[in-house]
Amino acid sequence: MKAKLLKFGLPAMVVLAGAYYYASKTGMFLDRDALIAKASVLAEQGELEAAEETVQPLLKLWDVPDELWLFVGNINRIEGDFNSALDYLSQVSKESPKIYAEALLFRAEANMRLGHLSPARDLFAESLADNDRQPNVRRRLVFVLNLAGLIRESLPEMMDLVNSGHADPELLLLLCDMTTPRRNDELIATGLPAFPEDPLLHLAHAMILESNQDDRAALEEYEIVMDFDPKLAIAWTKGFATTIRLKDRQRVKDRMDSIPEQVESIPGYWVIKGDVCRTNNKLEAAAHCYTQAALIAPDHIEAHFQLGQVLRELGRLEEAASIVEWANDLSHLAALSRSINKNALDVSGTRNLAKQLLKLNRIDEAWNWAALWLQIDPDSEAASKMYASLDRQRSRSGDFMFPPGPASQVNLTELPDLPWKELNILPDSSEAVIPNSDRVAINFEDVSEVSSFDFQYQNGTDSATEGRRIFEYTGGGVGVLDYDLDGWPDLYMTQGGKEGPTVPSTDSDQLIRNIDGQKYLPVTGNAGIRELSFSQGVSVGDINNDGFPDVYIANFGRNRLWQNNGDGTFADITDEAGLDGDSWTTSCAIADLNGDGSPELFDVNYLTGENLLTQVCYSNGVPRVCTPVVFAPAQDHLWENEGDGRFLNATESSGLVKAQGNGLGVLVADFDRDSRLDLFTANDAVANHYWVNSSDGSLKLEESALLSGAAVNSSGRAEACMGIAAGDTDGDGLLDLFVTNFFEESNTLYRQRQPHLFVDETREMSLQEPGYRLLGFGTQFLDADLDGWQDLIVLNGDIDDFSFMGREERMQPLFLRNQQGQSFTELEEGLAGPFFSQKMLGRSVARLDWNRDGKPDFVASILDAPSQLVENKSAIDHHWLAVKLIGIVSSRDAIGTQVTVETGGLTQSQQLTAGDGYQCSNEKIVLFGLSEFSNIDSLTVTWPSGVRQQFDKVSVDRLITIREGDDRLH
């Protein structure tokens, strides 16, 4: 019996076990329909976890239906367990096309939520390949591509959405600015450690690092991308640009040995090559490259801007003018798109975008924005008319694309394309040795208390309202003048008010007298000054050439002109002078613009609009100060001096009329040394203005900022510009411009290569990083260590409290040391003295030598704290010379006079300017640092009248006065 069991029992047991296993795997013991029905009910009731547990036994069967894999996978996706969702959804077979298509989308979305960008992109693309009529899927693909930095690659998908009538505000805003990557730092940080072999994750991370100014780390990421996917040409292009910035010769060589074929379809590639050609002075080849970029991408701001600059240098002025204007229009479109809240559209935002797109002939996009405008304001006759007009013009054929720009009209036949082997990518000059920055210890200290200097600006802060109103962040001005001609620099400090511009202030502007370089004493009342307007900037100048400096005040409302009576008092002559108007003037200048010897008045006006004093906008849902593009720009004004105490409004007759100003700072100088004063105005969020003076008997100004290269940065983008400093940074005798900008824009150095031709060389002079995560206002050039090279100081501070976005409101000022014209070095905290270790809401800064020790000092106005008199206490044994100028044939202020000193082989040039930047007026002397040289070989003065004087063997360490035409030094 036992033998029979051994013979027949074991096989029987195996058969029975197999039968049981088969039954369990085929669900013979389960009521599948009942379980599925129960799970469905639970899912509908929101009991997702219970629904999944109910069907779990069915998932162990051999023949699990695709519907069930989809069901459980979707439950896990909804619950946020994306990894499990992918495990289940990947089981769905293609034999169930409809179910597979749905699973495909769920897999794509799960990968996207995990930060696994490459499969998300591929799965969304696969879904569209099977069925291209899925606008929501196309939107998700656009999102993934933009997140990875493949913005240009997403353009066909965005065009399709516009063509099919599925363009929402977010998509339309993306089209307005195709060069700014959309960031999701948290998602990228989550995805990278989980999916280290995803090239798109590394590409997105590289762009984040690059935008944070971490070029070396970004380059490493770009190289990882190329290792994973050598055909991803955008990574090669951006990595190549980064190696050039880092001046890494070996990596440049490696890049040139592995150029992907696809790069020639990328506009950024041609821009890089154009930049290299321009560095090599191959201007025609550079124009060819920039044109190629502009043809590929008619919306590419930088390509058009650089093309316009090169065409100007080639003498093709008509083509250059149209192309830089196109670049400016594109830049303004991008600025408008960045200022709008996609979740809370308003009338002004939608209207402005519709009008700007129409100007660029982008009819389909303009029609969409007009539709949104009409939706917000259905009773608007203007919106109805625009919508109807655009509806007649828009494309009906489904072939929407960007219209060609003016670059399509450039004749390419004469423009050569040079091979890379003929170009020196990193010229030797780019590796010049930078001098040691620790030559002299710098020490700037606040001496307000010991000098009895006491003043605080009132900006009208309303503590009951969350978020600043726009007028609350702009004041207050600092003017330096010797009002009583005792030889010591006095101060004029403008005052706002505790309750804003609509309520007359009880606190006047202040005139503060310098007592022998020992202390300051308020003399406002004794001087007869009572200025109770909401004041902003100030300018000092001698309007009637009587030798006594007068004061012009920029107000929110009517400006004020205070004439110096010569006896220690001032008289308000605003009415007698014929000055009217009610603008918001931020900065102003006094300078002889028509060359007749009598100075004009120039007003830099900011914004206008009915809600200017009350409107607060939102940032990430938090009420905060509005950007300037929310309001209408105000027109700048020019007042021509009639020579009899009256001023004539010459705004229109001079050619000054120009929209889109948003002006904050002004500087007046003779930039091309033709004895006529030009003007540069720093505009907030729109292109700067550069007025070239062509006066010949009558006052004529011509705006040429775009052609001159000073309107926007090297990328062709307008920045939020505030302060201005003018100085010769590199010793070539030409004035350069340094402009302070908004948070994460960096400040900009415009080097003047030839008269009226400026080039943004911020990166080349190592100025990109220091101010990038700061918001700059007042700035000045000054030679702190008297070594003969102009250093830079910058005051910083935010316009509102954005701490919830990760940036501090109060910011440290910057000291940037000039390394003998080759670059600037930021001195770290504590190395420039205690002033530069503070955090503040810095605003205006004016230069002076308050105690006549030959070392430059300055006064800093601070928005929510007392202003500071900052003394240069550096232990310097270098020599110096200060020069005061008195015009005789020229206006007495002698603005535009060039002074050149030669000593020991070192040649320095400085010019007396007006306006002087952000709401300020510097002491009207030029101060030369002479290093160790104890004698000046020659000193040359070139006056605006054309008179030229030379003085030999000039003694140093003193202040001298030079009168026009007088051969004696005083």
Side-chain angles (χ1 to χ4, degrees):
M1 186 70 178
K2 185 176 181 181
K4 288 183 178 180
L5 286 174
L6 290 174
K7 181 176 181 181
F8 298 106
L10 185 60
M13 291 175 64
V14 171
V15 170
L16 288 172
Y20 180 83
Y21 178 75
Y22 175 82
S24 65
K25 286 298 185 181
T26 57
M28 291 178 64
F29 302 139
L30 299 173
D31 187 343
R32 288 191 294 183
D33 293 340
L35 290 174
I36 291 173
K38 180 181 178 181
S40 298
V41 171
L42 289 168
E44 289 177 3
Q45 294 173 345
E47 301 288 338
L48 299 181
E49 185 175 350
E52 181 180 356
E53 289 178 358
T54 300
V55 297
Q56 274 294 332
L58 299 180
L59 300 180
K60 301 174 182 179
L61 304 180
W62 282 338
D63 59 341
V64 179
D66 288 327
E67 294 92 337
L68 194 55
W69 290 123
L70 178 66
F71 179 76
V72 180
N74 192 33
I75 286 177
N76 281 269
R77 180 185 68 88
I78 294 171
E79 291 186 318
D81 186 354
F82 299 114
N83 285 307
S84 295
L86 286 170
D87 289 339
Y88 292 124
L89 293 168
S90 61
Q91 302 297 321
V92 177
S93 70
K94 292 185 177 181
E95 295 178 1
S96 306
K98 291 184 178 180
I99 299 173
Y100 179 79
E102 196 168 355
L104 199 66
L105 287 180
F106 289 159
R107 287 165 59 197
E109 186 173 335
N111 277 289
M112 183 175 72
R113 296 293 186 87
L114 288 168
H116 204 181
L117 300 186
S118 291
R121 173 199 60 183
D122 296 341
L123 290 166
F124 281 132
E126 183 183 347
S127 179
L128 287 172
D130 292 338
N131 178 12
D132 64 356
R133 294 184 179 181
Q134 301 179 89
N136 290 332
V137 177
R138 202 174 296 279
R139 280 196 188 91
R140 285 178 170 82
L141 178 57
V142 168
F143 172 80
V144 171
L145 291 172
N146 274 268
L147 190 61
L150 299 173
I151 308 172
R152 192 67 50 184
E153 289 79 351
S154 72
L155 184 57
E157 311 303 333
M158 288 194 281
M159 297 290 193
D160 188 278
L161 287 167
V162 174
N163 284 330
S164 61
H166 293 96
D168 58 15
E170 183 173 12
L171 173 76
L172 292 168
L173 289 171
L174 284 173
L175 286 168
C176 291
D177 186 5
M178 292 284 294
T179 56
T180 303
R182 270 51 180 177
R183 289 172 52 168
N184 188 326
D185 296 18
E186 184 178 351
L187 184 64
I188 302 305
T190 300
L192 268 175
F195 312 105
E197 296 185 357
D198 185 345
L200 293 191
L201 271 173
H202 288 283
L203 180 61
H205 189 219
M207 293 186 184
I208 290 172
L209 292 168
E210 186 177 342
S211 67
N212 291 339
Q213 307 297 296
D214 192 347
D215 279 346
R216 292 198 177 278
L219 181 56
E220 298 298 330
E221 289 290 88
Y222 286 131
E223 293 195 337
I224 291 172
V225 176
M226 291 302 295
D227 289 340
F228 285 138
D229 188 355
K231 293 183 180 180
L232 206 54
I234 187 67
W236 184 95
T237 303
K238 288 188 166 291
F240 187 43
T242 308
T243 60
I244 293 175
R245 286 199 301 271
L246 293 172
K247 301 170 186 175
D248 189 329
R249 289 188 178 278
Q250 183 56 50
R251 277 176 161 162
V252 165
K253 182 180 181 301
D254 294 341
R255 291 274 170 184
M256 297 312 299
D257 292 337
S258 59
I259 304 178
E261 294 180 3
Q262 298 86 348
V263 294
E264 293 195 2
S265 64
I266 297 177
Y269 164 81
W270 291 105
V271 170
I272 296 168
K273 191 172 184 182
D275 292 344
V276 172
C277 289
R278 197 174 184 188
T279 303
N280 282 253
N281 203 31
K282 305 291 186 182
L283 297 183
E284 290 188 343
H288 170 89
C289 295
Y290 294 135
T291 302
Q292 291 294 338
L295 292 176
I296 295 169
D299 64 310
H300 202 287
I301 303 170
E302 183 176 3
H304 286 87
F305 176 70
Q306 295 295 353
L307 175 58
Q309 300 306 302
V310 172
L311 289 175
R312 186 211 165 182
E313 290 187 71
L314 291 170
R316 300 171 65 160
L317 299 183
E318 187 174 343
E319 291 172 310
S322 65
I323 288 170
V324 294
E325 186 65 34
W326 182 267
N328 185 49
D329 286 339
L330 290 170
S331 177
H332 188 54
L333 174 66
L336 288 172
S337 72
R338 291 194 297 271
S339 70
I340 197 169
N341 184 349
K342 67 186 179 192
N343 298 318
L345 298 178
D346 56 42
V347 169
S348 63
T350 52
R351 179 188 62 230
N352 291 340
L353 281 169
K355 288 182 176 180
Q356 189 65 17
L357 285 160
L358 179 58
K359 188 176 182 182
L360 288 161
N361 199 33
R362 287 162 60 166
I363 303 300
D364 293 75
E365 293 168 88
W367 174 83
N368 276 277
W369 283 109
L372 290 168
W373 175 16
L374 190 58
Q375 182 179 328
I376 297 169
D377 189 6
D379 297 327
S380 170
E381 184 178 350
S384 297
K385 285 183 177 180
M386 175 176 275
Y387 176 82
S389 174
L390 291 168
D391 191 55
R392 290 190 295 270
Q393 300 176 58
R394 71 187 183 96
S395 170
R396 306 283 183 176
S397 60
D399 58 353
F400 161 66
M401 59 185 299
F402 290 145
S408 62
Q409 305 301 315
V410 176
N411 186 354
L412 287 173
T413 58
E414 61 195 78
L415 301 177
D417 179 22
L418 296 178
W420 281 106
K421 63 183 179 181
E422 294 184 22
L423 297 170
N424 188 355
I425 299 174
L426 289 177
D428 293 338
S429 60
S430 67
E431 292 187 335
V433 176
I434 302 301
N436 183 2
S437 64
D438 300 324
R439 298 179 299 278
V440 173
I442 303 299
N443 182 26
F444 282 96
E445 296 183 16
D446 174 17
V447 295
S448 301
E449 185 174 351
V450 298
S451 67
S452 301
F453 172 68
D454 183 16
F455 178 83
Q456 181 166 343
Y457 183 81
Q458 303 290 339
N459 69 334
T461 296
D462 178 10
S463 57
T465 302
E466 186 178 4
R468 286 201 184 108
R469 295 157 294 175
I470 196 164
F471 65 83
E472 293 180 39
Y473 71 68
T474 55
V478 181
V480 183
L481 73 165
D482 182 6
Y483 84 99
D484 52 3
L485 304 188
D486 66 351
W488 298 97
D490 311 307
L491 298 172
Y492 189 102
M493 309 295 293
T494 69
Q495 182 59 278
K498 294 183 178 68
E499 299 184 60
T502 59
V503 180
S505 176
T506 57
D507 297 317
S508 172
D509 294 358
Q510 292 292 305
L511 178 65
I512 307 174
R513 187 184 179 201
N514 186 328
I515 309 299
D516 301 327
Q518 299 297 313
K519 66 177 181 177
Y520 275 99
L521 178 70
V523 294
T524 310
N526 293 337
I529 292 175
R530 183 173 170 79
E531 179 59 76
L532 301 180
S533 302
F534 196 85
S535 298
Q536 301 282 276
V538 56
S539 187
V540 174
D542 191 350
I543 61 168
N544 54 5
N545 294 315
D546 66 351
F548 290 92
D550 310 300
V551 181
Y552 185 49
I553 309 302
N555 287 326
F556 197 119
R558 192 182 185 190
N559 297 333
R560 196 86 60 192
L561 181 60
W562 292 92
Q563 181 174 283
N564 192 330
N565 296 323
D567 59 0
T569 67
F570 287 79
D572 177 1
I573 64 165
T574 308
D575 290 336
E576 297 92 315
L579 301 173
D580 55 16
D582 195 32
S583 298
W584 178 5
T585 305
T586 48
S587 294
C588 54
I590 301 175
D592 179 14
L593 297 176
N594 59 6
D596 66 354
S598 298
E600 275 67 52
L601 305 177
F602 185 84
D603 303 341
V604 178
N605 296 326
Y606 193 30
L607 303 168
T608 186
E610 295 180 359
N611 55 349
L612 190 60
L613 297 176
T614 57
Q615 184 163 343
V616 172
C617 296
Y618 289 83
S619 180
N620 292 350
V622 180
R624 287 296 178 262
V625 68
C626 298
T627 65
V629 294
V630 170
F631 306 101
Q635 172 66 56
D636 293 345
H637 288 148
L638 174 59
W639 303 90
E640 188 170 8
N641 194 331
E642 297 288 270
D644 59 359
R646 294 179 299 170
F647 289 82
L648 177 69
N649 190 335
T651 303
E652 186 171 352
S653 62
S654 66
L656 184 69
V657 176
K658 177 78 176 180
Q660 304 297 340
N662 303 353
L664 283 175
V666 62
L667 197 135
V668 183
D670 182 5
F671 286 100
D672 61 349
R673 300 171 70 171
D674 67 349
S675 298
R676 291 179 288 199
L677 295 176
D678 312 300
L679 300 101
F680 177 83
T681 57
N683 292 329
D684 190 359
V686 295
N688 300 320
H689 289 159
Y690 180 64
W691 297 96
V692 175
N693 193 336
S694 57
S695 300
D696 188 8
S698 61
L699 183 53
K700 293 295 179 186
L701 300 173
E702 181 179 356
E703 209 292 301
S704 60
L706 288 168
L707 276 177
S708 75
V712 292
N713 65 12
S714 62
S715 297
R717 289 184 174 272
E719 298 173 296
C721 305
M722 269 74 78
I724 315 166
D728 182 6
T729 61
D730 50 8
D732 65 355
L734 294 173
L735 278 179
D736 307 311
L737 288 167
F738 180 77
V739 180
T740 60
N741 295 318
F742 203 70
F743 184 80
E744 292 189 344
E745 282 188 342
S746 90
N747 303 315
T748 305
L749 176 67
Y750 297 101
R751 288 177 69 176
Q752 191 175 188
R753 288 188 173 179
Q754 62 189 57
H756 298 318
L757 179 60
F758 295 87
V759 177
D760 175 359
E761 296 196 3
T762 306
R763 284 190 182 275
E764 289 79 355
M765 295 295 282
S766 303
L767 289 168
Q768 176 79 14
E769 187 176 345
Y772 184 74
R773 295 192 62 81
L774 298 169
L775 198 158
F777 275 90
T779 182
Q780 295 292 341
F781 280 108
L782 51 78
D783 185 359
D785 52 5
L786 302 179
D787 68 345
W789 296 95
Q790 297 287 305
D791 309 305
L792 275 166
I793 57 172
V794 183
L795 297 193
N796 301 295
D798 217 328
I799 59 174
D800 208 335
D801 181 4
F802 290 97
S803 56
F804 66 94
M805 295 175 62
R807 72 193 207 209
E808 294 186 81
E809 185 177 11
R810 288 162 183 79
M811 300 174 176
Q812 286 184 214
L814 286 174
F815 181 87
L816 301 161
R817 195 171 208 158
N818 190 332
Q819 304 287 27
Q820 299 187 10
Q822 297 178 33
S823 74
F824 284 83
T825 298
E826 176 188 359
L827 293 195
E828 297 178 0
E829 183 177 351
L831 296 182
F835 174 81
F836 289 95
S837 297
Q838 305 174 80
K839 290 185 178 180
M840 61 182 66
L841 296 180
R843 290 303 184 256
S844 180
V845 57
R847 190 179 62 226
L848 78 166
D849 178 7
W850 90 279
N851 56 1
R852 290 285 180 257
D853 65 353
K855 293 180 289 190
D857 313 308
F858 57 88
V859 174
S861 76
I862 301 168
L863 200 59
D864 63 342
S867 300
Q868 297 187 21
L869 172 64
V870 184
E871 183 178 332
N872 187 347
K873 289 180 171 287
S874 307
I876 305 171
D877 57 5
H878 289 164
H879 298 288
W880 56 277
L881 180 72
V883 181
K884 181 178 180 181
L885 301 162
I886 299 177
I888 303 298
V889 179
S890 307
S891 69
R892 189 176 182 92
D893 289 331
I895 302 300
T897 302
Q898 185 96 4
V899 183
T900 303
V901 298
E902 296 182 20
T903 177
L906 177 66
T907 300
Q908 297 182 61
S909 291
Q910 290 192 48
Q911 189 179 134
L912 197 61
T913 63
D916 296 331
Y918 181 76
Q919 301 187 352
C920 67
S921 193
N922 293 330
E923 182 178 10
K924 286 183 168 46
I925 63 170
V926 289
L927 177 60
F928 291 93
L930 303 172
S931 191
E932 70 273 15
F933 300 109
S934 57
N935 282 288
I936 291 176
D937 299 327
S938 68
L939 183 152
T940 304
V941 182
T942 304
W943 301 84
S945 65
V947 172
R948 186 173 183 274
Q949 296 173 260
Q950 180 172 322
F951 305 88
D952 298 327
K953 305 301 180 185
V954 179
S955 299
V956 299
D957 298 332
R958 59 177 179 154
L959 168 65
I960 62 173
T961 299
I962 301 177
R963 298 171 64 89
E964 185 176 11
D966 186 345
D967 291 335
R968 296 170 297 169
L969 297 178
H970 301 274

